[in-house]
Amino acid sequence: MAIHIVDRRLNPGSKSLENRQRFLRRAKALVQGAVKKSSQDRDIKDVLEGGEVSVPIDGMDEPRFRREGGTRDMVLPGNKKFVEGDILPRPNPSGGKGRGAGEGDSEDTFRFVLSRDEFVDLFLDDLELPDLAKRKLAEVESEGIRRAGYSTSGSPANISVSRTVSRALARRVALRRPRPEALAALEAELADCSDEARRAELMAEIEALRAKISRIPFIDPIDIRYRRFETVPKPVAQAVMFCLMDVSGSMTEHMKDLAKRFYMLLYVFLKRRYRHVEIVFIRHTDRAEEVDEQTFFYGPASGGTLVSSALQAMHDIVRTRFRPADWNIYAAQASDGDNSYADGEVTSRLLTDKILPITQFFAYLEVGQENGLSYEMPNSSLWTLYESLRASGAPLSMRKVNERSEIFPVFHDLFQRRSQQERNAS
Amino acid sequence: MTATDQLLFRGADWDFRTLQRICDACEQVARDELGLDVYPNQIEVITAEQMLDAYSSVGMPLFYKHWSFGKHFAFQEASYRKGLMGLAYEIVINSSPCISYLMEENTATMQTLVIAHAAFGHNHFFKNNYLFKQWTDADGILDYLEFAKRYVAHCEERHGRLAVEHTLDAAHALMSHGIDRYPGKKSLDLRAEEKRAGRRRAHEESAFNDLWRTVPGGKVKSDAILDVERRRQMLGLPQENLLYFLEKTAPRLRPWQRELLRIVRHIAQYFYPQSQTKVMNEGTATYVHYRIMSRLHQQGRLTDGNFLEFLQSHTNVVFQPEFDDPRYSGFNPYALGFAMMQDIERIVTNPKDEDREWFPDIAGKGDAMGVLRDVWANYRDESFISQFMSPRLMRHFRLFHLHDDPEERAGILVDAIHNERGYRRLRRELARQYDVGFIDANIEVVDVDLAGDRRLMLRHTVVKGAQLSEADTKRVLQHLADLWSYDVSLVETDGVGKVLKEYVANPRNIAVAA
């Protein structure tokens, strides 16, 4: 009897994938908690890398009727010195753990490897961009062209040769068009043949073949196929993110770090939504300049503080490079809240007249000293100014942050999915 | 022909031609020399990941989707990656054809070992042991699993994933109490089951159970209260197969939910013989692979090097740590089973006086394979150990019996050791450890309060003072109540009927009944 041997390795081993996703859905709250905890401890850049999280298994166990306690009898191997009637001390007071009883229940927590997508999904789950479809975004689309199969009519430039030839071949085979070799063979035989009767036979056959060949053309108009194209609307999916930061002497490394984490989160977040995300770094003291990321976070600078300079710079850049009609504009400003007194008026006017009307979202993050308490921070001049703007209805979001661990909750808070009314109220 | 021509393979590499040669060689020994009778074999080569996959769906090639399999996969994958756990070399499925999985990483020697072990050892056991014959339908199982998978997917489409998940969660919690322990009417025919499922569903959707005529809310006014005996009889009480009882009588389950319970119950039943024959099953397979490998070596078809490689893995497999060894975690079924099979062979072919006294039926009979085939066919772990554990083996394992009574303050009593006085007690106690009657809690449905609030009443008869663990029990009862959709109570009573503890669970208003 032949034994059947099958190679199953080629089957993708994805049987577990579906079950794995179900498990993830089921354990979502647990895994999400673990993801947030693990992302607090690492660099935000690494957040995009996915990775291991520890999931407590006890929230996910499946109950069964189990018995415990009572008198127990057990037969064990390996007696060395015991004799009948010996009394052995119990191993430890709990006494319950021994062989047989608590089998295999050591799965308290286990490390669970998440893919990059799974990780970021869970990380950013239930966040959304506010006012995503603001203004013309939904309508402003450019047209793209894509292949859409074949058609029986079209312009000669679009004839698909391979498709046409293969259809013609199929038709010729189906209709049994004689092959040229068959004809050539008969003609060769005719040339060599001297028997008259046979010659007549051959000539008739050749004639029949020729007739058939002419009846069945090599390429028929019905074989011809044209490549078809259709135009598809292509949504403009691009966003620009302005990072504005006060870098005057009062901004400590800690504060910059907080800001950086916030920007990174925003970047990860935007990256999920848009095909292109541009980042513009603007730092300012009493004058603003556009810089690269390195300079932005690590370059030394000093001077006074004029917030309006940064806003003005942003406005200029938008005007020259990012048409608000084509770009979704986001801005996040980080500052310790100091601004020169005289600048308030200018800042306020710039914001309300120029910046806010063109941005999807403007977040103001007031960063505080390490170990400070955010609710104990006295309202800074900038905070007071923004607060008054917000009170009069400007779409500004503002939060105070002191600790690294607060960054995610604050971010989460700002971008949480919520109803229109709530959003207006915040 | 020279000796080298007879070699099945050289070194560690193998290809599919080698596998075929190995199979043929193993089959020859198995059939002609050991007289084994097996289902047709199908060997499948898979990757490590696929092996993990198969692991997490209880070793079956196809299974319905459920999150718990994903959990097991994740857990096993994690411990595999950490190196806590080696993968099994093989998984074998009790089906016809009998499917054995081989991992691609195995060396040629390992593949030979696995083929001898699974495709012939386990296979013979599956086909011939009375429990498997009685309880499992090897021809039908794969089709039935395919049906179950389709059915569950179909239910998810129709009734939503969540509702199906709730029902399956509840059914899984009761799985170990969804088994008929004693053969009643007839053995399973899963193919017919599958065909009947459709018709049954149609019928049940049109018919209704008169018993539950008064279900929809309100105060029940029934003058003719069924007398207790008749009621219990109609409900088939007492009933220890909880899943069966729910499937048949739970008042508010939808037909598809009953079908899901049925599927889980059938699968539990299918695995029931495996839990009762671990020692015998592994012992048989290990004995068979040992015989086949030794024979192949004798025939010059395995090199000495390959044979040594085999012996090393074989020795690892049958290693039995002693009780005070940190590696000890109970009896190793491979070790115990293999030792007993070899011991039977010894008793049959070369008995001592002691053996003649203990085993008059088989001692010196001469035909070791004949006796073993008979043993493999007619015993399960408990009866096997209580019949064939010999004094010599008890001395070999240096067995001793501990009696641990929590009331006894002084400590744990050594009740018997491997000496004349102890043999019979040791053997009885060891056999009892493998008695399913003792392993699973004895829980039965005893009554339903039909006249009142339709409370379902269960009883757990406590044996040797071991009560149910409270947290787990509450959660299982919750599942039970959700399926039953009225209150459920469970009392724990001791041997004389004294109530030790009582649980009550109320159904939740979740999608189970929806």
Side-chain angles (χ1 to χ4, degrees):
Chain A
M1 183 178 51
I3 291 172
H4 200 190
I5 302 179
V6 186
D7 190 352
R8 281 264 182 255
R9 288 171 298 179
L10 306 175
N11 281 10
S14 59
K15 239 191 333 170
S16 59
L17 187 66
E18 162 86 25
N19 284 331
R20 175 189 166 88
Q21 285 167 344
R22 284 172 187 236
F23 170 61
L24 270 183
R25 268 200 295 264
R26 172 102 177 188
K28 192 167 161 188
L30 291 172
V31 178
Q32 212 158 30
V35 162
K36 287 186 184 148
K37 201 156 157 280
S38 88
S39 59
Q40 266 171 23
D41 307 333
R42 44 177 151 172
D43 268 359
I44 289 181
K45 241 180 219 161
D46 299 337
V47 164
L48 271 178
E49 296 304 309
E52 285 194 357
V53 293
S54 288
V55 181
I57 197 73
D58 53 327
M60 294 295 300
D61 69 342
E62 297 160 88
R64 297 280 156 95
F65 284 125
R66 284 192 303 114
R67 284 183 306 180
E68 53 190 18
T71 64
R72 300 185 311 135
D73 286 285
M74 52 211 148
V75 176
L76 303 169
N79 180 15
K80 289 164 194 78
K81 52 175 196 240
F82 306 138
V83 295
E84 191 182 330
D86 279 0
I87 301 283
L88 312 183
R90 292 206 163 76
N92 57 48
S94 69
K97 285 276 174 282
R99 75 156 240 99
E103 39 183 34
D105 274 23
S106 55
E107 8 178 310
D108 302 335
T109 61
F110 67 92
R111 308 286 289 174
F112 191 80
V113 178
L114 294 171
S115 72
R116 182 178 176 277
D117 278 353
E118 282 170 342
F119 195 95
V120 177
D121 266 343
L122 285 162
F123 187 61
L124 296 178
D125 188 60
D126 73 355
L127 297 182
E128 72 167 8
L129 289 179
D131 295 333
L132 192 63
K134 182 181 160 194
R135 271 188 309 271
K136 282 181 168 176
L137 173 70
E139 302 100 72
V140 177
E141 287 170 340
S142 62
E143 303 241 296
I145 288 179
R146 73 161 180 226
R147 295 282 296 268
Y150 299 90
S151 72
T152 50
S153 61
S155 113
N158 286 337
I159 285 181
S160 164
V161 176
S162 60
R163 182 56 66 117
T164 302
V165 168
S166 77
R167 286 186 60 89
L169 178 65
R171 181 180 50 77
R172 295 197 307 269
V173 170
L175 297 178
R176 295 173 192 280
R177 186 183 203 257
R179 298 162 61 81
E181 299 91 79
L183 192 62
L186 285 175
E187 279 171 341
E189 197 183 341
L190 181 67
D192 294 346
C193 185
S194 50
D195 176 9
E196 272 311 308
R198 178 71 185 140
R199 280 185 71 88
E201 222 174 83
L202 283 172
M203 279 163 74
E205 255 180 72
I206 290 170
E207 196 49 43
L209 284 191
R210 286 229 169 94
K212 200 164 184 187
I213 287 177
S214 66
R215 267 206 314 281
I216 304 170
F218 191 81
I219 291 199
D220 194 271
I222 63 165
D223 298 332
I224 297 175
R225 287 294 177 273
Y226 300 87
R227 290 190 298 271
R228 212 169 76 78
F229 297 92
E230 62 181 20
T231 54
V232 285
K234 213 164 68 185
V236 177
Q238 51 190 3
V240 58
M241 172 175 125
F242 283 91
C243 305
L244 310 173
M245 186 161 68
D246 176 0
V247 291
S248 59
S250 54
M251 282 290 281
T252 61
E253 284 307 308
H254 172 69
M255 290 170 168
K256 286 183 186 173
D257 181 60
L258 290 179
K260 178 177 184 172
R261 280 162 193 269
F262 187 84
Y263 294 132
M264 288 301 292
L265 270 177
L266 186 59
Y267 179 72
V268 170
F269 188 40
L270 292 177
K271 198 78 185 158
R272 304 278 292 181
R273 294 297 170 108
Y274 299 103
R275 208 168 304 154
H276 305 291
V277 182
E278 296 259 342
I279 315 179
V280 179
F281 296 100
I282 299 174
R283 67 170 190 176
H284 73 90
T285 49
D286 52 355
R287 57 182 201 85
E289 55 178 340
E290 186 184 349
V291 292
D292 60 15
E293 183 176 350
Q294 200 60 27
T295 323
F296 187 70
F297 289 111
Y298 305 107
S302 65
T305 311
L306 276 179
V307 173
S308 63
S309 65
L311 295 175
Q312 185 60 50
M314 172 178 165
H315 184 63
D316 293 341
I317 292 170
V318 167
R319 233 182 16 210
T320 52
R321 280 155 47 195
F322 304 100
R323 265 189 355 126
D326 298 339
W327 290 82
N328 294 287
I329 298 168
Y330 295 84
Q333 182 186 8
S335 166
D336 59 357
D338 280 344
N339 194 15
S340 69
Y341 180 73
D343 194 44
E345 177 61 30
V346 191
T347 308
S348 153
R349 215 176 45 241
L350 262 172
L351 263 178
T352 31
D353 297 348
K354 303 233 167 106
I355 305 288
L356 291 176
I358 56 164
T359 50
Q360 305 284 88
F361 185 69
F362 192 101
Y364 171 61
L365 197 68
E366 189 153 307
V367 288
Q369 288 294 348
E370 209 165 357
N371 304 326
L373 290 166
S374 45
Y375 56 85
E376 280 180 353
M377 277 159 72
N379 284 346
S380 63
S381 57
L382 208 52
W383 182 271
T384 318
L385 170 66
Y386 282 12
E387 187 69 61
S388 69
L389 283 177
R390 205 169 65 92
S392 59
L396 264 173
S397 295
M398 41 203 290
R399 291 289 186 284
K400 292 178 182 173
V401 183
N402 285 74
E403 292 296 327
R404 264 176 217 171
S405 60
E406 287 176 334
I407 289 287
F408 188 81
V410 160
F411 185 81
H412 193 267
D413 191 26
L414 286 176
F415 285 93
Q416 206 159 29
R417 208 166 278 154
R418 48 193 145 173
S419 65
Q420 193 62 42
Q421 291 93 330
E422 282 178 281
R423 197 178 298 147
N424 290 345
S426 76
Chain B
M1 215 194 268
T2 62
T4 42
D5 287 328
Q6 291 182 337
L7 282 180
L8 289 170
F9 50 83
R10 302 178 150 278
D13 293 337
W14 54 269
D15 57 19
F16 284 82
R17 276 222 307 285
T18 320
L19 284 187
Q20 191 70 55
R21 265 209 311 282
I22 292 171
C23 286
D24 293 343
C26 290
E27 180 169 12
Q28 205 192 347
V29 178
R31 208 169 276 275
D32 302 343
E33 302 187 18
L34 306 183
L36 300 187
D37 166 34
V38 294
Y39 290 123
N41 269 307
Q42 177 162 328
I43 310 270
E44 306 202 352
V45 179
I46 60 175
T47 60
E49 196 203 348
Q50 285 171 313
M51 186 61 100
L52 272 172
D53 233 9
Y55 250 44
S56 38
S57 47
V58 289
M60 298 311 274
L62 35 92
F63 223 74
Y64 54 82
K65 305 282 181 213
H66 192 258
W67 63 269
S68 65
F69 307 135
K71 181 187 96 174
H72 289 128
F73 182 84
F75 179 67
Q76 268 151 359
E77 191 195 27
S79 41
Y80 177 54
R81 265 187 301 101
K82 267 193 290 188
L84 289 182
M85 178 183 87
L87 279 179
Y89 298 117
E90 43 91 19
I91 287 183
V92 55
I93 292 164
N94 168 27
S95 63
S96 176
C98 176
I99 300 176
S100 314
Y101 291 130
L102 309 187
M103 259 208 307
E104 62 173 347
E105 285 90 342
N106 291 350
T107 62
T109 309
M110 287 308 298
Q111 302 294 29
T112 318
L113 166 62
V114 169
I115 288 169
H117 181 91
F120 294 97
H122 283 304
N123 190 347
H124 173 85
F125 194 79
F126 288 146
K127 189 172 176 190
N128 293 280
N129 183 265
Y130 79 106
L131 278 176
F132 286 88
K133 281 184 166 172
Q134 201 163 53
W135 287 122
T136 65
D137 174 17
D139 290 317
I141 183 65
L142 293 181
D143 287 341
Y144 190 72
L145 289 177
E146 171 67 38
F147 153 75
K149 187 179 169 186
R150 251 187 300 118
Y151 191 86
V152 170
H154 168 77
C155 284
E156 286 176 347
E157 240 167 60
R158 258 180 84 167
H159 311 287
R161 224 193 58 236
L162 217 59
V164 173
E165 189 173 291
H166 281 310
T167 311
L168 282 178
D169 282 353
H172 286 178
L174 296 166
M175 203 162 177
S176 53
H177 293 267
I179 295 162
D180 287 321
R181 281 166 216 283
Y182 307 99
K185 286 154 279 180
K186 57 183 166 65
S187 60
L188 282 176
D189 179 355
L190 293 175
R191 263 189 233 276
E193 264 316 311
E194 179 195 338
K195 289 203 191 87
R196 276 212 307 273
R199 274 184 283 144
R200 186 167 47 236
R201 205 164 57 243
H203 173 73
E204 281 178 356
E205 268 168 13
S206 60
F208 68 97
N209 190 341
D210 196 46
L211 208 52
W212 299 106
R213 188 151 42 98
T214 54
V215 164
K219 202 82 179 128
V220 192
K221 275 194 182 171
S222 169
D223 297 332
I225 297 172
L226 293 163
D227 82 279
V228 179
E229 276 316 305
R230 178 149 173 269
R231 178 176 79 227
R232 288 176 52 125
Q233 203 184 358
M234 282 180 74
L235 292 169
L237 298 175
Q239 173 62 262
E240 62 168 356
N241 190 334
L242 304 186
L243 281 180
Y244 178 80
F245 182 82
L246 290 170
E247 176 197 324
K248 294 300 174 200
T249 50
R252 285 165 70 173
L253 285 185
R254 300 282 203 76
W256 62 268
Q257 292 179 302
R258 294 183 203 276
E259 193 63 44
L260 290 185
L261 297 193
R262 195 177 181 82
I263 286 170
V264 172
R265 183 165 69 80
H266 279 331
I267 291 170
Q269 191 76 58
Y270 172 83
F271 284 108
Y272 182 54
Q274 312 223 358
S275 65
Q276 293 185 70
T277 53
K278 266 194 199 121
V279 171
M280 287 196 73
N281 204 344
E282 294 305 351
T284 304
T286 307
Y287 180 81
V288 165
H289 82 225
Y290 187 72
R291 288 283 303 261
I292 293 180
M293 295 301 279
S294 308
R295 187 73 186 118
L296 292 178
H297 179 234
Q298 236 172 36
Q299 290 172 341
R301 309 184 82 171
L302 288 180
T303 64
D304 291 348
N306 291 137
F307 192 65
L308 278 176
E309 185 196 343
F310 153 71
L311 280 179
Q312 201 221 340
S313 2
H314 173 77
T315 312
N316 285 339
V317 165
V318 298
F319 173 65
Q320 175 63 61
E322 299 190 331
F323 78 101
D324 49 357
D325 190 310
R327 290 167 293 181
Y328 179 80
S329 61
F331 270 102
N332 172 359
Y334 294 84
L336 187 58
F338 180 65
M340 288 187 66
M341 301 303 169
Q342 277 206 316
D343 198 44
I344 291 173
E345 182 190 332
R346 181 191 61 79
I347 293 167
V348 173
T349 53
N350 185 22
K352 300 270 185 322
D353 288 346
E354 179 187 53
D355 301 314
R356 289 187 199 281
E357 185 192 321
W358 277 65
F359 306 102
D361 292 346
I362 59 167
K365 215 175 161 199
D367 175 16
M369 276 318 296
V371 171
L372 280 173
R373 283 198 305 267
D374 181 61
V375 169
W376 294 340
N378 296 312
Y379 291 83
R380 56 176 182 159
D381 286 350
E382 181 235 346
S383 54
F384 175 61
I385 290 169
S386 74
Q387 286 291 316
F388 295 103
M389 176 57 87
S390 72
R392 183 175 183 275
L393 211 53
M394 288 186 248
R395 290 194 297 272
H396 168 75
F397 279 121
R398 311 181 74 82
L399 297 185
F400 63 111
H401 171 219
L402 291 181
H403 178 75
D404 182 4
D405 183 352
E407 301 292 304
E408 185 56 62
R409 303 218 159 261
I412 305 171
L413 175 71
V414 177
D415 201 41
I417 63 161
H418 46 94
N419 61 14
E420 284 301 331
R421 276 166 55 83
Y423 290 144
R424 294 201 185 268
R425 266 187 292 166
L426 275 182
R427 187 160 80 163
R428 190 181 58 233
E429 284 302 329
L430 185 60
R432 193 178 261 219
Q433 282 178 15
Y434 290 93
D435 185 353
V436 279
F438 277 91
I439 295 168
D440 288 327
N442 177 11
I443 295 172
E444 298 174 311
V445 181
V446 285
D447 206 354
V448 181
D449 183 4
L450 278 184
D453 58 3
R454 297 197 177 75
R455 174 185 292 227
L456 180 67
M457 290 176 261
L458 302 160
R459 184 178 58 212
H460 171 224
T461 310
V462 173
V463 180
K464 298 207 287 187
Q467 287 183 243
L468 296 172
S469 92
E470 189 170 322
D472 270 346
T473 304
K474 281 183 176 159
R475 295 178 57 202
V476 177
L477 283 182
Q478 184 62 62
H479 279 309
L480 187 55
D482 292 342
L483 290 176
W484 180 248
S485 69
Y486 295 98
D487 289 0
V488 171
S489 70
L490 170 78
V491 291
E492 294 194 88
T493 61
D494 62 9
V496 293
K498 193 178 129 215
V499 174
L500 302 171
K501 190 165 174 102
E502 182 159 8
Y503 296 90
V504 176
N506 319 108
R508 288 174 295 191
N509 285 326
I510 54 163
V512 166

